[in-house]
């Protein structure tokens, strides 16, 4: 009897400790994603919705950047704790003096494309010379602009929004595209694959890792465990999304509909499937990588591309100084 | 399989099969032609309806775009905010379908918009600096440098509604410097209600897509703005819908199969037509059940008519077949009864009309009557024949009675023995023989052959026999008797018949045989040493023809045991199946072989030899033999 009583007390104490540690010790942080709500961020949503962040002691508020917004502005200004953007943008940002670090390389593959209509006869990079090209204005466009700059190709630049209307209405000749998003949006606007010419950036030597989580170096120095936690939790979110696509889609659609974006649910399902292999390697296209890891090789490749970029600053960091996941 | 069937079922079966084939073919042609016509009609009707809807929307959209274009052309770069508001007010006030109107400056002038929108019959203005620079309604006209209709979007910070916007860029006079963009917003709700109202026929549902395929109006509200016709085609597995979608955004007007529609909950067809002013396309999706209701009805009707036709045909064929075959069946029964021997069966009732069947029945009964008549004739003839045969039998027995058969009585032991046979070729014959005592020592023998056969010959033979018996007395020699008999029968002979005769007398005491012949074969004498000698033939005419003056005679000496073998020409002229005659030569050799045995044995053996020779051949002439054996002198 006595033993049983002690047992009960012990269980109660453990429960109180657990609840207090998860509820009271959870750190509130903000995470800014560099595009509107869509399946590109399914892992983050799932990590939040399924309580994975909470399990890691995080109370994450997810925010989305506007179409023209460079997330590093908010990060550097201390408006948010963490920001997601392209690796290349992060390197450019750091080289220009902003002390930010990559604390988790989420998208390790390259999904960047340049798409034109088959009827425009743009088959290779040089054909784009003096054409009207849609470029994102949120920093992601810098990789594309570097490509044109490095190859000495003058273009007529147009801001590319979240819709494909300008390209579909033939306002521009070439659009920037992600293989998991815009490419499929065009298919859902009635353009068949054989009606399009597609130039993959990775075929031009510009295949570099994309989405990464960044934070200020000072923050990482102060609490590297926190930085590791958000990346670990996010990767957990992606693993969960991969094995539970229906729940992941629900998390995505909840945010898409709240934002009242004109987005097809079926497109979102496609996007989740399409982006997954560049986050969690299926070994088909590239060697295995540990999710969240950035190889030094990939980093150096990106740096060498950016060295000739008009956007690059003087202070290009070493790999070890810049990439901090798992340290 | 069918050959065992009776006529009526066979007739019904084959006619039914044939007619059913024709019926099916006709129904099929009728159905397909009808279906094609109805289909064409339906296509025309549906396409017309959709085109009307498209035109109605076009008119409204065109009106909106004209208003905005007019406002833009009147805009002056020095317009104050209140002037801009007045301009926007006019656009909203006089165009009930316009929900709101906006003027946006390009950022190089100032990053600002003036937005007026309808709220509870008032027009409210808001000035905000939201990031319109990334909105399609601003960037598209700016970058394309032409007016555009945007895809549907949600209007944040304004009317808070789903809408589409008509945007017109305004440029400074004589330069391409952008002064601003002026817009008119149309709520999707309003477009939806217009589309619903236009669907007067209430068949299927209408939907509207933009020139990028985005769904602007659709009964599935959650598809509006979010989905495109292509995402629906992809997710619902409707490859044809993707083709239709491509046609629609290319401004094609068409009609075709849709696939399974979630809204109609059935396979459906789609008709679509472009809205020229916006590049949009309106479509009407009608379930096949509804669309083809006419065709289904036609289908049912054709099946019903076909089936009723089949039943009617079956009944008619049954009636026709039975009306044709009923008299045949009755006739068959009558014929069977007749064939089974009921010759007096009742006459069946005649079917109406005059045709092959009635004439067949008539002919059958005519045939039946003829057969009955023939049977009666045959019966009569048979009775007559039987009567004649009976009479002939009597005549034959009478004739046979004229021929003596009392050989045993007549024979005298150790003196002589005699035996004869007369086998007529028909019932009665024309041959004759006779023997009688002329005196104690004299035996008269005669044998003859009337020229004809049958009853007349038999009667003639009776006359000859009777005359001979009457006239030949014991004092006469054979030649005298023959002369006398010839004279008598010639006198009374009114027919052309004649008779060959041999008259002979055996003198038992003298042991001689005296004979006279009238055209008859000479007899053979068989001696004990087995020599067979034909006695000398005597010339003399056949009897009964003319009065021959005097027949001559001849006498031969008889030894003990000699046999006199007398015969008619039926013996030596006995024919076999190959018409070969028996012949006197063979006769002589056979007699020699037989030898001088008892006359009855000689006769029987020779008759057997003749039978053997004839084989199965019919006897052509009467066969008559008279055989006399001399044993020894009478003392």
């Amino acid at each position: 009897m006595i033993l049983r009583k002690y047992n009960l007390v012990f269980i109660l104490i453990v429960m109180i400790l657990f609840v207090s540690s998860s509820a009271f010790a959870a750190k509130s942080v903000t995470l800014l994603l560099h595009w509107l709500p869509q399946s590109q961020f399914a892992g983050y949503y799932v990590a939040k919705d399924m309580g994975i962040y909470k399990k890691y002691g995080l109370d994450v508020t997810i925010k989305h950047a506007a179409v023209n917004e460079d997330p590093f502005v908010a990060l550097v200004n201390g408006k948010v704790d963490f920001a997601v953007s392209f690796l290349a943008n992060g390197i450019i940002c750091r080289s220009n003096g902003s002390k930010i670090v990559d604390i988790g390389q989420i998208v390790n593959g390259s999904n960047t494309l340049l798409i034109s209509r088959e009827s425009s006869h743009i088959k290779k990079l040089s054909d784009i010379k003096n054409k009207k090209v849609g470029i994102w204005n949120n920093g992601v466009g810098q990789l594309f602009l570097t490509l044109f700059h490095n190859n000495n190709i003058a273009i007529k630049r147009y801001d590319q929004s979240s819709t494909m209307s300008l390209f579909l209405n033939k306002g521009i000749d070439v659009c920037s595209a992600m293989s998991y998003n815009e490419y499929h949006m065009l298919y859902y606007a009635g353009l068949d694959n054989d009606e399009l010419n597609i130039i993959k950036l990775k075929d031009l030597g510009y295949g570099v890792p994309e989405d990464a989580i960044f934070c200020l170096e000072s923050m990482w120095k102060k609490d590297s465990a926190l930085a590791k936690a958000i990346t670990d939790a996010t990767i957990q979110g992606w693993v969960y999304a991969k094995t539970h696509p229906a729940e992941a889609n629900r998390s995505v659609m909840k945010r898409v509909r709240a934002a009242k974006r004109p987005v097809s649910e079926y497109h979102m399902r496609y996007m989740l499937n399409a982006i997954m292999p560049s986050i969690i390697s299926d070994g088909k296209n590239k060697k295995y990588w540990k999710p969240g890891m950035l190889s030094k090789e990939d980093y150096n490749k990106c740096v060498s591309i950016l060295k000739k970029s008009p956007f690059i600053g003087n202070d290009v960091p070493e790999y070890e100084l810049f990439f901090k996941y798992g340290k | 399989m069918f050959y065992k069937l009776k006529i009526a079922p066979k007739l019904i079966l084959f006619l039914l099969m044939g007619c059913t084939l024709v019926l099916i073919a006709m129904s099929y042609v009728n159905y397909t032609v009808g279906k094609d016509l109805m289909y064409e009609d339906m296509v025309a009707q549906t396409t017309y309806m959709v085109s009307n809807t498209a035109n109605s929307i076009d008119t409204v959209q065109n009106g909106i775009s004209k208003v905005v274009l007019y406002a833009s052309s009147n805009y002056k770069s020095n317009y104050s905010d209140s002037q801009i508001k007045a301009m926007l007010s006019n656009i909203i006030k006089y165009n009930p379908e316009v929900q709101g109107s906006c003027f946006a400056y390009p950022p190089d002038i100032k990053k600002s918009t003036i937005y007026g929108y309808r709220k509870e019959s008032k027009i409210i203005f808001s000035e905000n600096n939201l990031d319109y620079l990334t909105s399609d309604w601003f960037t598209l006209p700016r970058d394309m440098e032409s007016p555009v209709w945007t895809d549907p979007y949600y209007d944040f910070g304004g009317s808070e509604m789903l809408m589409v916007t008509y945007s017109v860029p305004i440029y400074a006079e004589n330069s391409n410097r952008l002064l601003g963009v002026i817009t008119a917003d149309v709520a999707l709700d309003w477009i939806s209600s217009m589309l619903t109202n236009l669907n007067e026929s209430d068949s299927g549902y209408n939907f509207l897509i933009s020139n990028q395929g985005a769904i602007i109006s659709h009964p599935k509200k959650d598809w509006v703005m979010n989905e495109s016709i292509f995402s629906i085609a992809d997710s619902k597995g409707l490859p044809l819908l993707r083709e239709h979608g491509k046609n629609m955004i290319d401004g094609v007007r068409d009609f075709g199969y849709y696939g399974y529609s979630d809204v109609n909950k059935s396979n459906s067809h789609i008709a679509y037509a472009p809205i020229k002013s916006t590049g949009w396309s309106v479509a009407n999706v009608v379930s096949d059940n509804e669309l083809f209701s006419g065709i289904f009805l036609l289908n049912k009707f054709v099946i019903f008519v076909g089936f009723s036709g089949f039943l009617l045909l079956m009944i008619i064929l049954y009636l026709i077949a039975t009306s044709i075959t009923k008299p045949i069946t009755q006739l068959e029964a009558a014929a069977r009864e007749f064939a089974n021997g009921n010759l007096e069966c009742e006459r069946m009732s005649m079917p109406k009309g005059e045709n092959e069947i009635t004439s067949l029945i008539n002919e059958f009964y005519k045939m039946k009557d003829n057969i009955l008549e023939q049977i009666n004739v045959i019966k009569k003839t048979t009775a007559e024949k039987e009567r004649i045969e009976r009479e002939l039998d009597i005549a034959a027995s009478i004739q046979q009675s004229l021929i003596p058969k009392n050989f045993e009585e007549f024979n005298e032991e150790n003196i002589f023995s005699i035996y004869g046979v007369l086998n007529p070729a028909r019932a009665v014959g024309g041959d004759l023989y006779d023997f009688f005592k002329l005196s104690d020592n004299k035996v008269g023998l005669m044998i003859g052959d009337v020229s004809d056969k049958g009853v007349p010959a038999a009667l003639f033979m009776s006359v000859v026999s009777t005359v001979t018996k009457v006239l030949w007395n014991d004092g006469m020699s054979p030649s005298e008797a023959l002369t006398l008999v010839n004279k008598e029968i010639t006198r009374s002979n009114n027919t052309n018949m004649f008779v060959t005769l041999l008259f002979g007398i055996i003198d038992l005491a003298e042991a001689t045989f005296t004979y006279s012949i009238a055209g008859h074969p000479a007899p053979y004498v068989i001696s004990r040493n087995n020599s067979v000698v034909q006695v000398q033939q005597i010339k003399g005419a056949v009897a009964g023809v003319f009065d021959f003056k005097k027949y001559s005679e001849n006498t031969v000496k008889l030894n003990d045991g000699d046999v006199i073998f007398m015969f008619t020409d039926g013996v030596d002229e006995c024919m076999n199946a190959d018409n070969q005659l028996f012949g006197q030569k063979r006769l002589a050799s056979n007699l020699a072989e037989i030898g001088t045995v008892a006359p009855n044995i000689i006769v029987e053996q020779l008759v057997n030899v003749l039978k053997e020779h004839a084989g199965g051949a019919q006897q052509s002439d009467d066969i008559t033999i008279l055989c006399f054996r001399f044993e020894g002198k009478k003392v």
Side-chain angles (χ1 to χ4, degrees):
Chain A
M1 279 300 280
I2 290 168
L3 196 69
R4 212 179 254 182
K5 226 177 211 172
Y6 277 118
N7 271 352
L8 198 70
V9 170
F10 178 74
I11 289 165
L12 273 171
I13 291 167
V14 167
M15 275 178 73
I16 289 163
L17 280 174
F18 181 79
V19 169
S20 62
S21 71
S22 56
F24 299 106
K27 280 194 176 170
S28 291
V29 292
T30 48
L31 170 67
L32 180 62
L33 305 173
H34 63 139
W35 198 246
L36 306 174
Q38 58 185 14
S39 297
Q40 182 183 0
F41 310 118
Y44 307 92
Y45 304 149
V46 167
K48 163 105 178 153
D49 293 353
M50 302 313 295
I52 299 169
Y53 283 140
K54 210 169 194 179
K55 212 171 84 187
Y56 279 80
L58 298 166
D59 177 16
V60 179
T61 303
I62 296 173
K63 292 183 170 182
H64 295 91
V67 172
N68 276 358
E69 183 183 355
D70 184 343
F72 289 123
V73 176
L75 184 68
V76 172
N77 290 341
K79 296 270 172 66
V80 293
D81 302 310
F82 301 97
V84 172
S85 186
F86 270 19
L87 168 67
N89 302 344
I91 295 170
I92 289 167
C93 182
R94 171 85 187 226
S95 72
N96 285 305
S98 298
K99 297 283 184 193
I100 57 163
V101 287
D102 181 340
I103 58 162
Q105 188 62 44
I106 302 301
V107 176
N108 251 300
S110 168
N111 300 291
T112 42
L113 311 170
L114 284 164
I115 298 177
S116 57
R117 286 173 195 268
E118 209 279 329
S119 55
S120 68
H121 305 297
I122 297 168
K123 289 185 176 149
K124 54 187 188 297
L125 190 63
S126 58
D127 295 335
I128 298 177
K129 203 164 200 171
N130 295 326
K131 298 290 183 190
K132 295 177 182 173
V133 184
I135 300 287
W136 289 300
N137 207 15
N138 64 343
V140 171
Q142 291 176 135
L143 181 66
F144 292 83
L145 292 169
T146 299
L147 168 71
F148 295 127
H149 177 266
N150 291 359
N151 289 281
N152 202 22
I153 289 168
I155 57 158
K156 290 175 188 161
R157 180 185 167 171
Y158 282 76
D159 285 349
Q160 186 162 316
S161 73
S162 60
T163 74
M164 300 307 286
S165 296
L166 194 57
F167 179 76
L168 290 167
N169 282 301
K170 299 182 182 174
I172 51 176
D173 304 305
V174 182
C175 65
S176 308
M178 304 306 291
S179 57
Y180 51 77
N181 187 12
E182 287 79 6
Y183 166 71
H184 192 251
M185 283 169 80
L186 293 179
Y187 182 73
Y188 273 3
L191 285 171
D192 291 340
N193 295 348
D194 58 6
E195 291 176 271
L196 299 173
N197 284 332
I198 294 162
I199 298 171
K200 293 179 181 172
L201 263 62
K202 65 181 169 191
D203 292 343
L204 302 171
Y206 281 72
V208 289
E210 293 164 356
D211 292 7
I213 307 174
F214 297 93
C215 69
L216 293 174
E217 191 176 36
S218 56
M219 183 176 180
W220 176 78
K221 279 180 176 164
K222 205 171 85 189
D223 193 351
S224 65
L226 177 70
K228 186 174 184 307
I230 197 160
T231 301
D232 286 346
T234 302
I235 290 165
Q236 283 289 301
W238 276 110
V239 170
Y240 191 89
K242 182 172 174 147
T243 50
H244 301 80
E247 287 177 61
N249 280 322
R250 264 203 297 280
S251 286
V252 171
M253 288 317 294
K254 188 171 80 179
R255 286 165 176 82
V256 167
R257 292 294 173 245
K260 300 199 185 289
R261 285 198 65 201
V263 168
S264 162
E265 184 176 350
Y266 307 107
H267 175 54
M268 288 297 103
R269 291 185 196 175
Y270 172 87
M271 187 186 284
L272 181 65
N273 283 330
I275 199 170
M276 197 60 85
S278 55
I279 295 168
I280 299 168
S281 171
D282 57 9
K284 275 181 191 165
N285 303 318
K286 208 183 155 184
K287 64 184 190 296
Y288 279 104
W289 64 83
K290 188 177 171 232
M293 284 304 291
L294 170 68
S295 72
K296 193 170 183 176
E297 188 190 345
D298 280 347
Y299 176 79
N300 289 336
K301 181 183 178 185
C302 194
V303 166
S304 72
I305 288 166
L306 293 172
K307 267 189 177 161
K308 286 183 272 173
S309 166
F311 309 108
I312 201 80
N314 298 323
D315 194 9
V316 178
E318 288 300 315
Y319 169 75
E320 288 76 14
L321 283 175
F322 185 72
F323 184 68
K324 295 296 186 186
Y325 177 53
K327 290 170 188 169
Chain B
M1 182 182 168
F2 298 116
Y3 68 95
K4 277 187 180 168
L5 278 179
K6 291 198 164 192
I7 293 176
K10 195 184 265 184
L11 197 67
I12 292 171
L13 185 70
F14 283 107
L15 280 177
L16 208 58
M17 273 159 63
C19 291
T20 306
L21 281 178
V22 173
L23 202 69
I24 288 171
M26 280 172 67
S27 302
Y28 178 75
V29 169
N30 185 26
Y31 174 70
T32 46
V33 170
K35 188 180 166 179
D36 287 351
L37 284 175
M38 286 178 91
Y39 186 81
E40 279 167 28
D41 184 48
M42 194 180 59
V43 170
Q45 214 177 337
T46 315
T47 316
Y48 174 76
M49 197 187 74
V50 171
S51 300
N52 263 358
T53 307
N55 288 339
S56 303
I57 297 170
D58 197 30
T59 309
V60 176
Q61 309 282 67
N62 215 7
I64 295 167
S65 56
K66 271 182 184 156
V67 167
V68 181
L69 283 171
Y70 179 76
S72 72
S73 66
N74 285 339
Y75 176 80
K76 298 284 183 295
S77 57
N78 57 0
Y79 264 17
S80 67
D81 284 0
S82 57
Q83 278 174 309
I84 291 173
K85 283 181 182 172
M87 177 179 74
L88 299 180
S89 285
N90 283 336
I91 293 175
I92 301 165
K93 204 191 293 174
Y94 300 111
N95 298 284
E97 58 277 5
V98 174
Q99 181 62 33
S101 183
C102 177
F103 182 87
Y105 289 101
D108 59 341
I109 296 176
K110 58 176 171 178
K111 193 182 170 187
S112 172
T113 60
I114 300 171
Y115 181 53
Y117 59 98
R118 199 187 297 277
K119 195 170 186 184
E120 291 159 1
S121 76
K122 281 181 185 167
I123 297 168
I124 296 166
F125 283 96
S126 72
E127 286 177 51
N128 68 63
N129 303 324
L130 278 173
D131 199 0
Y132 65 92
L133 298 177
T134 59
S135 299
D136 278 354
W137 64 260
F138 180 76
T139 57
L140 286 179
R142 179 196 67 188
D143 294 342
M144 295 180 65
E145 300 173 9
S146 66
V148 291
W149 278 94
T150 68
D151 264 16
Y153 66 97
Y154 187 83
D155 182 33
F156 279 108
S159 57
E160 302 284 342
M161 290 172 112
L162 288 180
M163 46 181 73
V164 287
T165 297
Y166 183 68
S167 302
V168 179
I170 306 170
Y171 294 97
E173 258 180 85
N174 305 322
S175 85
N176 59 358
R177 182 168 161 258
L178 186 70
L179 296 178
V181 168
I182 184 164
T183 73
D185 298 338
V186 180
L188 292 190
D189 285 350
W190 184 84
I191 293 173
S192 291
S193 64
M194 178 168 67
L195 212 53
T196 310
N197 291 339
L198 282 172
N199 193 8
E200 286 164 351
S201 66
D202 201 29
S203 60
Y205 63 90
N206 287 339
F207 72 87
L208 191 63
I209 62 167
S210 76
N211 63 341
Q212 295 172 33
I215 291 172
I216 296 169
S217 174
H218 198 283
K220 289 217 171 199
K221 297 287 176 206
D222 54 339
W223 286 0
V224 172
M225 176 182 87
N226 297 321
E227 299 296 343
S228 75
I229 190 166
F230 304 106
S231 69
I232 297 305
D234 187 38
S235 63
K236 303 290 175 190
L238 301 170
L240 284 176
L241 184 59
R242 184 170 176 87
E243 292 310 309
H244 291 311
K246 292 179 73 132
N247 283 339
M248 287 171 81
I249 62 176
D250 286 344
V252 174
R253 205 172 81 153
D254 206 353
F255 176 92
Y257 185 58
Y258 177 96
Y260 183 83
S261 159
D262 282 352
V263 177
N264 289 335
K265 301 209 184 312
S266 74
N267 289 335
S268 301
H269 272 68
I270 183 171
Y272 43 88
I275 299 168
K276 290 197 177 72
S277 58
T278 55
W280 297 352
S281 185
V282 65
N284 179 248
V285 183
V286 193
S287 78
D288 288 358
N289 292 337
E290 192 182 334
L291 199 61
F292 298 126
S293 59
I295 291 171
F296 291 147
L297 199 68
L298 175 72
N299 205 355
K300 279 182 192 163
F301 182 70
V302 166
I303 290 171
F304 173 74
V305 167
F307 190 70
S308 333
F310 180 81
L311 282 181
L312 195 67
L313 195 67
M314 208 156 80
I315 292 166
I316 290 170
L317 283 176
Y318 176 77
L319 292 177
I320 291 174
T322 47
S323 80
I324 291 172
T325 56
K326 192 182 170 188
I328 294 179
T329 314
Q330 287 175 343
L331 184 62
E332 184 208 7
R336 194 183 300 123
E337 208 178 334
F338 188 67
N340 288 340
N342 183 5
L343 304 183
E344 298 304 325
C345 57
E346 259 183 53
R347 192 182 172 93
M348 61 179 275
S349 61
M350 283 296 282
K352 281 174 189 169
E354 234 175 85
N355 51 36
E356 293 89 332
I357 306 275
T358 54
S359 54
L360 179 66
I361 293 169
N362 281 331
E363 291 306 317
F364 170 73
Y365 281 104
K366 209 185 271 178
M367 184 183 79
K368 185 194 144 195
D369 292 345
N370 283 339
I371 289 172
L372 284 177
E373 205 177 308
Q374 284 298 317
I375 288 171
N376 283 334
V377 169
I378 289 166
K379 270 184 185 167
K380 276 182 191 168
T381 313
T382 311
E384 183 70 13
K385 199 179 161 197
E386 280 170 353
R387 189 182 61 76
I388 291 168
E389 277 174 359
R390 240 180 357 260
E391 286 174 2
L392 271 178
D393 283 349
I394 295 166
S397 64
I398 291 170
Q399 190 191 29
Q400 287 293 328
S401 71
L402 290 175
I403 307 297
K405 299 229 173 47
N406 50 340
F407 307 111
E408 293 297 321
E409 276 175 42
F410 195 71
N411 288 348
E412 287 185 34
E413 207 173 335
N414 299 325
I415 309 285
F416 71 90
S417 57
I418 194 164
Y419 192 79
V421 73
L422 192 160
N423 288 339
R426 298 185 191 170
V428 289
D431 283 9
L432 72 156
Y433 72 83
D434 206 350
F435 51 87
F436 39 83
K437 280 268 185 75
L438 288 170
S439 65
D440 270 357
N441 294 328
K442 285 184 180 173
V443 176
L445 301 170
M446 92 175 264
I447 186 164
D449 181 3
V450 180
S451 62
D452 208 345
K453 286 181 280 291
V455 175
L459 288 173
F460 195 70
M461 169 261 184
S462 309
V463 171
V464 173
S465 178
T466 311
V467 167
T468 305
K469 271 188 166 114
V470 172
L471 293 182
W472 196 359
N473 59 45
D474 55 355
M476 286 180 188
S477 71
S479 59
E480 284 168 350
L482 186 56
T483 306
L484 191 64
V485 168
N486 175 50
K487 192 175 187 172
E488 185 54 35
I489 59 176
T490 303
R491 191 177 58 79
S492 60
N493 185 9
N494 294 325
T495 69
N496 287 326
M497 285 191 287
F498 59 89
V499 63
T500 66
L501 287 169
L502 183 149
F503 282 11
I505 294 175
I506 308 288
D507 192 326
L508 299 170
E510 296 295 325
T512 58
F513 171 54
T514 308
Y515 61 93
S516 181
I517 295 174
H520 197 85
Y524 286 89
V525 175
I526 312 162
S527 302
R528 274 201 173 150
N529 58 0
N530 280 352
S531 72
V532 176
V533 178
Q534 191 168 27
V535 300
Q536 190 194 338
Q537 179 61 276
I538 301 165
K539 285 186 179 169
V542 291
V545 182
F546 57 91
D547 189 6
F548 195 66
K549 212 171 183 181
K550 173 88 172 130
Y551 285 93
S552 48
E553 63 183 25
N554 188 31
T555 300
V556 293
K557 191 80 179 147
L558 293 173
N559 296 314
D560 290 355
D562 281 357
V563 173
I564 301 164
F565 183 85
M566 288 167 282
F567 61 96
T568 58
D569 58 3
V571 174
D572 58 318
E573 289 174 6
C574 171
M575 277 196 290
N576 64 9
D578 298 330
N579 290 339
Q580 285 173 331
L581 298 175
F582 186 66
Q584 292 209 3
K585 206 175 173 183
R586 200 180 304 181
L587 176 61
S589 67
N590 269 291
L591 290 175
E593 210 170 286
I594 294 165
T596 56
V597 291
N600 60 329
I601 295 170
I602 295 171
V603 170
E604 277 164 17
Q605 286 196 3
L606 195 74
V607 165
N608 284 338
V609 169
L610 287 175
K611 267 185 192 166
E612 215 169 281
H613 170 74
Q618 201 188 354
Q619 190 183 330
S620 59
D621 202 354
D622 301 340
I623 293 172
T624 305
I625 299 166
L626 186 60
C627 195
F628 180 90
R629 178 182 156 117
F630 180 71
E631 308 288 349
K633 281 182 185 172
K634 194 171 182 180
V635 181

